[in-house]
Amino acid sequence: MKNSNFFLDIFSQQSFGQAQLRDLQVSEQQIHILIDLIPEIIVVKDEKGRYVLANQMALDLYELRDLDYKGKTDIDLAIMKPKYQESFDYNIKTDELAWRKGSTLTVEKTVERPDGEQQVWEVMKTPVFDEDGNRLRLIIVSRNVSERKKAETELQLSEEKYRLIADNMKDLIGMLDENGKVRYVSPSFARVLGYETIQYGEFDFVSIVHREDFPTVKKIFHNMISEQKELGKAEFRCRHSNGEYIWFEVNFSSVYGIDGDVDHIIIVARDISERKIYENHLQSMAYQDYLTGLPNRNMLYSLFSEQLSAASSKSQSLAVLFLDLDRFKTINDTLGHRTGDKLLQGVSERLTNIIRKNDFVFRQGGDEFIIILTEANRSIASKIAARILQVLSVPFRLNNHDVFSSTSIGISLFPDHGETVEKLIQNADTAMYQAKKAGKNTFEFFYSKERHSLIDPLTMEMDLHKAVERDELVLHYQPKVSLKSGKIVGAEALIRWFHPQIGMISPAEFIPIAEETGLILPIGEWALYTACRQVKEWMKKGLSIVISVNISTTQFVQSNFVTSIERILTETQVEPQCLEIEITESVSADIEHTITTLHGLKKLGVRISIDDFGTGFSSLNYLKQFPVDTLKIDQSFIRELYKNPNDETIVKTIISMAHNLNLTVVAEGIETKEQLVFLQQYFCDEGQGYLISKPLSVGELQAAIDKVESIVEQNGISQDKNERQWADEMLRKAREDLNNTVRLQQGMILKYKKINNKFIHTLCDGELLYRMGFIPNEVIGKELSEFLPYEVAKEKTAFYERAWNGDERVTYEGEINGIHYLEVFSQIKSGGKVVEVIGSCVDITERRKVEEALRQTEYHYRLISENVTDLVRIVDKDLKLQYISPSHEKVLGYTMEELTGKSIEDYVHPVDLPGLQKLREYMLTTGNAGHGQYRLLHKGGHWISMEIGLTPVSHDDGNIKHFVSVGRPLKKN
């Protein structure tokens, strides 16, 4: 390797651009001249520590300018220059540390100059290895940081600022050792958790973690200490000194020692108790029946699955009771819906009082209830069913009427009548109808003799093996239409099995067998092939739609799933965007695999839809992590529209949330005009259901296109009103975006023309204009001398003239009302002639730089300011910013330098500003703290809603000195 090429590579990592380096063809002598000009020490050593090259600055440091240093080691140079023995020994030690580390090592070294001056140098040592990992070169770059260190030492940032931050912040900041022992906690620890006295080095943070969350925290410590993994966030509960538990969202980060091992762990914890309450409220809305307060159908499937797993693992029996009230429709129609509702509430109360401690009762819907009896055999189920019939035979006193009601009960037993939730409920439902046929007001156990005489599971499995090759499986397609235009935009592929002897067999019967036996893999691949081939055929006929295919968990978890999809798309020659993969939350058991697979599908261009959205416990969490395109609102919510206010709220919330995330929303199970109109009114994008069309064969769908596409117009909002509604919504969004763009532009844009030998402004707007003290009307239509001082206008006119005459590199720096700005001019030409000039202005006012380093005694407070996620500010009585926490850059995009010295009023939404000014006056008058909600301007141009608290701090004489402001963004619902 030649030194010249080697140093070119060095410079490519330092101060020079790649394009410049490619053009830089210089000799080794020129390279030496070049590095001598760099105001830093440059030294290169070989693998044995011998000096290969050093620039003049390095030679002057050790007084080696007149000596032959090349090929010599630090040991050799120490003999030649014994006065620097200590420095050369230090070089040897840190060189070896850099080689062992394998990457850049940064250290600081104090060197005494011949004149006695103490200099501090920041030394960066970068090892270079060859392809086999052998040592090659050690590149050393040192810079004199003495002035910076002096500034740090002399820097007298008031410790009061950081104490004020610690006293007012809501987040908890802590420093833990590798065993979880507390080295330091912020004062907020005592305020939030109640522990007034903490013995550093003895208090065990892990000891206050909830026992159910302890495994999570233990795993985090293991991964961070032993495997040095950065884990980010975790949510768990910590015990208050009063014994209660508080939910926290905790950020973990590691701090490494010079040996490369974790020295300590920084935690930043935020109380999320209110958020957890809100999440529980949402869960209650989704999983609790609004009328009776009982768990609803969604909770049934989740909880039933858990009970089924427990019973299976313990070899216990379990009973399912399916109840349907007799004559309920007659009661409802005769006495009214209010009386019917009260009857359902009364039945719910009696059922709840009957069941045993470990049993569960659910409202299935309408007048149907399901009871799960744990550890129950046929005898126990019979006794409880008989008791239910007896209790419900007592009349209900409702609205001065004695209402008599009875019920028919169907019973299925696990494992005799099924081993899945769906099968047991289905069989209990069948038994309930057997009870109805037997005269009602009785109970029956499931009896499947008729079905078994047709086909048994073993025979079904054997026949299913041959179903694909015999072409007994077919796909039907249920159209999805745009609720805006009514046009078909997609179709969901649904599998059907036409058995040669039995006829059509429901997917609910054969899909579980296919999944259990592994046949779902070839069947699933057949469905994907068939659907893609059909899409290709439709495209040839001019019908362009997206086909949706449901994917089972068994398919999804296959390691070659993404490869299989790619192969099918290639072989069928279908564009990836024409295929939509529908998944449910059940695929998320292995979250890392799920995310990897979904990203693989997105790289192919395939669309991804979450089916049955809203029915699982973690839907919102999945939505945050999965790269999805579409949400399908589960039909259980659509079914209850206009009946259940909770379901209406959930549907509206899902639509709004999805649109804010730029996702398409599809409503499943649309069966009535009222449901269709509701979804249109709240801008649901697409819909499917029996009102629009049942699943159809290929031929039936092609023949029914016109009919299907007329359904929305015939049954929904009128076409004119619908189009007007959507147009108003699009216009509203467009206006909102435009207003935000114009209002939030941080710089300033102007245009001018030369009219009658005068430069007249035709446009001027932007946030910078207002901060300069102008408004657009004071600039537009005027020349410079009409709103600027004469000398300034005269100077700037010369630059206007240059730009107008075609000079393409004109920039101007000026100052107006204390604001310095840089203006760059660009010409608009027509026919080769300049017809207008655009000036783009940005604020370049020099801001006071705040040093990040604090004195060693202020270390803990610096730790707080660097890790706090709240926005902490210190402002004077006029609301000018004296200090801001680094978190402003994360949340609002501004650095400390950009905001220090500015008025907070400049960044508050104009509508909210009067409220802030009123709060300021209140605090100046009373000396009391206050808070409010305000929108602050993000550097990117948009507004962020914040909850901000302000606390006045007084002088010894009682006069207010400044305010401490603590803010945090408001979470979106």
Side-chain angles (χ1 to χ4, degrees):
M1 176 186 295
K2 294 183 178 180
N3 284 341
S4 59
N5 291 334
F6 181 70
F7 289 115
L8 284 174
D9 186 56
I10 296 173
F11 295 142
S12 71
Q13 303 174 34
Q14 300 294 325
S15 307
F16 298 92
Q18 294 294 329
Q20 293 171 301
L21 287 172
R22 285 194 295 268
D23 297 333
L24 192 62
Q25 301 295 326
V26 296
S27 65
E28 184 175 350
Q29 181 181 1
Q30 290 172 314
I31 290 292
H32 281 270
I33 294 172
L34 188 58
I35 66 169
D36 283 341
L37 296 175
I38 297 176
E40 297 175 347
I41 288 177
I42 305 292
V43 173
V44 180
K45 299 179 182 179
D46 64 14
E47 72 281 4
K48 295 184 178 180
R50 295 174 297 206
Y51 282 71
V52 176
L53 180 138
N55 66 355
Q56 291 300 321
M57 197 169 182
L59 299 178
D60 290 342
L61 180 66
Y62 295 120
E63 301 179 73
L64 299 173
R65 182 184 288 269
D66 299 325
L67 299 178
D68 183 12
Y69 68 90
K70 291 187 177 181
K72 294 181 173 56
T73 65
D74 285 294
I75 296 175
D76 299 330
L77 295 179
I79 297 173
M80 299 167 65
K81 291 291 182 179
K83 64 189 296 183
Y84 295 112
Q85 176 74 47
E86 181 182 352
S87 293
F88 288 124
D89 289 343
Y90 182 80
N91 290 347
I92 296 170
K93 178 181 177 181
T94 52
D95 285 357
E96 185 59 28
L97 283 176
W99 282 115
R100 292 182 180 179
K101 184 179 180 184
S103 59
T104 301
L105 174 71
T106 303
V107 296
E108 288 186 356
K109 172 63 178 173
T110 301
V111 177
E112 184 175 345
R113 299 287 296 145
D115 58 4
E117 177 189 1
Q118 296 283 333
Q119 292 184 345
V120 181
W121 289 81
E122 181 181 76
V123 185
M124 291 175 289
K125 301 192 174 188
T126 303
V128 179
F129 301 90
D130 62 19
E131 295 178 352
D132 297 325
N134 299 315
R135 297 181 180 184
L136 194 61
R137 292 285 189 270
L138 185 66
I139 306 163
I140 303 168
V141 179
S142 305
R143 59 173 62 94
N144 189 340
V145 294
S146 303
E147 290 301 320
R148 191 188 78 190
K149 285 295 180 181
K150 182 179 178 180
E152 290 174 356
T153 302
E154 296 174 353
L155 189 61
Q156 296 298 320
L157 285 176
S158 175
E159 189 172 321
E160 175 190 6
K161 294 180 181 179
Y162 299 100
R163 289 201 176 94
L164 288 172
I165 293 171
D167 291 341
N168 287 275
M169 63 179 289
K170 297 179 181 179
D171 286 357
L172 312 183
I173 305 294
M175 184 167 68
L176 312 177
D177 65 17
E178 67 275 10
N179 296 315
K181 296 296 174 74
V182 173
R183 290 189 183 178
Y184 168 78
V185 289
S186 59
S188 53
F189 193 85
R191 290 199 306 273
V192 178
L193 282 171
Y195 297 97
E196 298 293 341
T197 304
I198 296 293
Q199 294 295 326
Y200 292 160
E202 296 182 10
F203 186 86
D204 186 0
F205 175 77
V206 180
S207 68
I208 65 173
V209 174
H210 194 286
R211 59 186 179 84
E212 293 178 0
D213 303 328
F214 178 76
T216 299
V217 177
K218 182 179 180 181
K219 183 177 180 182
I220 289 173
F221 270 79
H222 171 75
N223 289 338
M224 296 186 75
I225 300 297
S226 302
E227 302 183 20
Q228 296 190 354
K229 292 182 179 178
E230 294 294 337
L231 298 190
K233 294 181 181 179
E235 294 180 2
F236 52 84
R237 291 158 289 183
C238 290
R239 187 178 63 253
H240 191 278
S241 62
N242 63 11
E244 296 180 356
Y245 282 90
I246 300 175
W247 274 101
F248 288 95
E249 179 183 80
V250 184
N251 286 278
F252 293 86
S253 58
S254 303
V255 178
Y256 296 90
I258 192 172
D259 57 359
D261 292 332
V262 175
D263 181 70
H264 56 272
I265 294 174
I266 304 297
I267 62 169
V268 181
R270 169 167 294 181
D271 184 348
I272 58 170
S273 301
E274 291 185 5
R275 194 186 86 194
K276 285 294 182 181
I277 292 173
Y278 177 69
E279 289 176 353
N280 291 336
H281 174 64
L282 285 181
Q283 181 175 315
S284 175
M285 290 172 62
Y287 297 103
Q288 189 175 55
D289 178 56
Y290 75 98
L291 178 63
T292 64
L294 294 175
N296 62 11
R297 184 190 304 107
N298 298 328
M299 179 64 82
L300 165 65
Y301 281 85
S302 175
L303 196 148
F304 194 2
S305 296
E306 295 176 5
Q307 295 301 317
L308 211 54
S309 298
S312 178
S313 63
K314 299 177 183 178
S315 299
Q316 294 174 342
S317 58
L318 179 150
V320 180
L321 278 60
F322 198 116
L323 285 69
D324 183 274
L325 298 184
D326 301 327
R327 300 173 50 255
F328 178 76
K329 186 177 186 303
T330 301
I331 296 171
N332 214 26
D333 294 343
T334 304
L335 301 179
H337 291 283
R338 293 175 65 87
T339 301
D341 288 347
K342 288 184 178 180
L343 175 59
L344 292 173
Q345 291 170 342
V347 170
S348 301
E349 183 178 353
R350 293 188 187 182
L351 292 177
T352 303
N353 292 332
I354 290 173
I355 62 173
R356 301 169 303 172
K357 181 180 179 180
N358 294 325
D359 298 336
F360 305 91
V361 58
F362 306 86
R363 186 186 176 198
Q364 170 77 348
D367 61 343
E368 296 177 342
F369 297 84
I370 289 180
I371 297 176
I372 307 299
L373 304 179
T374 59
E375 300 183 44
N377 55 24
R378 191 180 188 93
S379 175
I380 293 174
S382 297
K383 290 179 181 178
I384 293 179
R387 176 63 178 154
I388 291 172
L389 295 176
Q390 179 185 1
V391 169
L392 294 186
S393 66
V394 178
F396 294 84
R397 187 65 179 174
L398 305 173
N399 297 335
N400 297 321
H401 294 281
D402 284 329
V403 178
F404 290 85
S405 179
S406 62
T407 185
S408 298
I409 306 174
I411 307 173
S412 63
L413 300 174
F414 169 81
D416 299 348
H417 301 145
E419 297 184 356
T420 66
V421 172
E422 293 80 5
K423 194 66 175 176
L424 287 166
I425 293 176
Q426 176 187 344
N427 289 342
D429 188 16
T430 300
M432 182 271 294
Y433 280 105
Q434 292 170 348
K436 291 278 189 186
K437 292 178 182 178
K440 303 180 181 179
N441 194 25
T442 186
F443 64 88
E444 292 282 349
F445 284 88
F446 174 70
Y447 180 63
S448 56
K449 180 178 180 180
E450 292 183 13
R451 188 63 184 172
H452 278 295
S453 66
L454 295 176
I455 185 169
D456 58 68
L458 181 58
T459 302
M460 184 182 292
E461 177 185 342
M462 296 171 61
D463 289 351
L464 197 53
H465 275 279
K466 305 172 184 177
V468 175
E469 58 189 64
R470 290 177 177 175
D471 291 329
E472 293 173 6
L473 298 179
V474 296
L475 290 183
H476 282 190
Y477 301 90
Q478 186 171 35
K480 287 189 294 186
V481 300
S482 165
L483 299 188
K484 177 182 177 183
S485 66
K487 299 297 182 183
I488 295 176
V489 293
E492 182 177 359
L494 300 168
I495 196 167
R496 297 290 185 264
W497 180 13
F498 287 93
H499 193 280
Q501 284 80 41
I502 302 171
M504 202 275 284
I505 299 179
S506 168
E509 293 191 61
F510 72 83
I511 290 298
I513 293 177
E515 290 182 334
E516 183 179 348
T517 60
L519 287 172
I520 194 66
L521 296 177
I523 291 176
E525 184 161 323
W526 171 87
L528 283 165
Y529 261 116
T530 304
C532 288
R533 281 198 299 265
Q534 187 57 55
V535 168
K536 189 67 176 179
E537 288 299 317
W538 278 332
M539 291 179 66
K540 291 178 181 178
K541 296 178 180 180
L543 181 60
S544 179
I545 64 174
V546 175
I547 197 74
S548 302
V549 181
N550 291 281
I551 301 300
S552 74
T553 303
T554 306
Q555 284 178 272
F556 189 83
V557 299
Q558 298 301 307
S559 59
N560 64 343
F561 179 66
V562 175
T563 305
S564 298
I565 296 293
E566 183 177 19
R567 173 171 48 80
I568 291 171
L569 291 171
T570 301
E571 294 179 4
T572 57
Q573 297 182 337
V574 169
E575 294 297 325
Q577 62 270 20
C578 293
L579 174 63
E580 183 174 68
I581 299 298
E582 290 194 8
I583 62 172
T584 62
E585 293 175 1
S586 61
V587 306
S588 60
D590 184 346
I591 191 68
E592 293 184 2
H593 173 79
T594 299
I595 293 174
T596 301
T597 300
L598 291 179
H599 279 289
L601 293 172
K602 290 304 295 180
K603 287 182 180 179
L604 295 180
V606 172
R607 295 178 59 82
I608 299 170
S609 171
I610 294 185
D611 198 10
D612 302 333
F613 182 78
T615 61
F617 283 97
S618 305
S619 295
L620 296 180
N621 185 43
Y622 296 150
L623 184 59
K624 181 174 65 176
Q625 301 182 65
F626 293 173
V628 301
D629 303 285
T630 304
L631 298 185
K632 297 189 74 174
I633 306 176
D634 185 65
Q635 58 184 335
S636 63
F637 297 117
I638 305 301
R639 187 184 300 117
E640 295 297 318
L641 291 178
Y642 288 103
K643 298 179 183 178
N644 186 339
N646 287 346
D647 283 343
E648 291 182 9
T649 301
I650 291 172
V651 170
K652 289 187 286 187
T653 301
I654 291 175
I655 293 173
S656 175
M657 176 185 63
H659 285 170
N660 287 332
L661 295 173
N662 295 318
L663 301 179
T664 300
V665 187
V666 180
E668 297 181 293
I670 302 176
E671 297 179 354
T672 68
K673 295 180 180 180
E674 291 78 13
Q675 293 167 355
L676 173 61
V677 169
F678 179 92
L679 293 166
Q680 286 183 301
Q681 288 174 336
Y682 291 97
F683 304 105
C684 181
D685 300 293
E686 300 170 8
Q688 65 184 99
Y690 274 69
L691 176 66
I692 297 167
S693 174
K694 67 177 183 178
L696 302 171
S697 66
V698 173
E700 290 172 334
L701 177 57
Q702 291 172 178
I705 289 177
D706 292 339
K707 179 180 178 181
V708 171
E709 293 188 337
S710 67
I711 298 297
V712 171
E713 183 176 0
Q714 292 174 359
N715 296 275
I717 299 174
S718 67
Q719 189 69 17
D720 289 343
K721 183 178 180 181
N722 194 26
E723 290 179 356
R724 186 167 59 253
Q725 176 177 284
W726 276 93
D728 290 345
E729 176 68 5
M730 294 175 66
L731 181 60
R732 183 191 66 79
K733 289 184 178 179
R735 285 174 176 169
E736 183 179 342
D737 292 342
L738 180 60
N739 289 338
N740 288 339
T741 300
V742 174
R743 183 173 64 251
L744 302 178
Q745 181 189 194
Q746 290 184 328
M748 178 174 70
I749 296 179
L750 59 83
K751 292 198 296 185
Y752 66 84
K753 291 183 178 181
K754 194 169 188 177
I755 303 174
N756 297 328
N757 285 325
K758 295 181 179 180
F759 293 116
I760 305 299
H761 294 88
T762 59
L763 171 70
C764 188
D765 205 349
E767 189 259 349
L768 183 59
L769 176 69
Y770 298 94
R771 289 198 286 116
M772 289 177 171
F774 297 103
I775 60 175
N777 289 343
E778 293 177 310
V779 178
I780 297 174
K782 298 179 174 60
E783 58 179 327
L784 291 169
S785 60
E786 294 183 72
F787 58 89
L788 292 180
Y790 174 77
E791 292 298 330
V792 176
K794 180 179 178 182
E795 176 190 29
K796 192 171 182 180
T797 299
F799 287 83
Y800 272 37
E801 188 72 47
R802 286 175 54 196
W804 185 262
N805 291 334
D807 189 339
E808 297 182 353
R809 297 186 177 181
V810 181
T811 60
Y812 174 78
E813 291 188 18
E815 180 268 330
I816 298 177
N817 293 333
I819 296 178
H820 295 262
Y821 66 97
L822 171 67
E823 186 169 357
V824 180
F825 297 94
S826 304
Q827 296 89 0
I828 300 176
K829 297 181 179 181
S830 177
K833 183 179 180 181
V834 176
V835 295
E836 201 165 20
V837 175
I838 298 176
S840 300
C841 305
V842 293
D843 186 355
I844 60 169
T845 306
E846 182 178 357
R847 289 163 175 78
R848 190 174 42 145
K849 295 184 178 180
V850 179
E851 294 288 342
E852 294 183 2
L854 300 173
R855 290 175 293 127
Q856 186 63 32
T857 56
E858 296 177 330
Y859 172 75
H860 291 154
Y861 298 105
R862 186 178 76 248
L863 180 66
I864 294 173
S865 70
E866 290 175 350
N867 287 278
V868 65
T869 55
D870 284 347
L871 303 186
V872 182
R873 317 172 191 85
I874 298 177
V875 297
D876 64 18
K877 291 191 295 184
D878 297 321
L879 299 183
K880 289 189 179 296
L881 292 157
Q882 298 177 335
Y883 169 81
I884 67 166
S885 61
S887 53
H888 281 70
E889 187 167 2
K890 295 179 181 178
V891 178
L892 292 176
Y894 302 105
T895 62
M896 290 189 290
E897 291 81 2
E898 289 176 311
L899 291 182
T900 302
K902 299 294 185 65
S903 173
I904 193 173
E905 295 177 316
D906 294 337
Y907 300 89
V908 176
H909 194 287
V911 175
D912 300 338
L913 189 57
L916 178 62
Q917 293 168 338
K918 185 176 180 181
L919 177 62
R920 169 182 170 273
E921 294 300 324
Y922 165 79
M923 292 188 293
L924 288 174
T925 304
T926 66
N928 295 329
H931 67 90
Q933 295 182 3
Y934 307 95
R935 287 165 286 182
L936 298 186
L937 182 63
H938 190 279
K939 189 173 182 179
H942 56 276
W943 297 98
I944 295 181
S945 296
M946 308 281 295
E947 182 180 11
I948 298 177
L950 286 166
T951 303
V953 179
S954 302
H955 290 284
D956 293 338
D957 59 5
N959 293 320
I960 291 178
K961 180 180 180 182
H962 46 241
F963 302 106
V964 177
S965 167
V966 180
R968 66 172 50 169
L970 292 173
K971 291 187 177 293
K972 296 180 179 179
N973 291 338

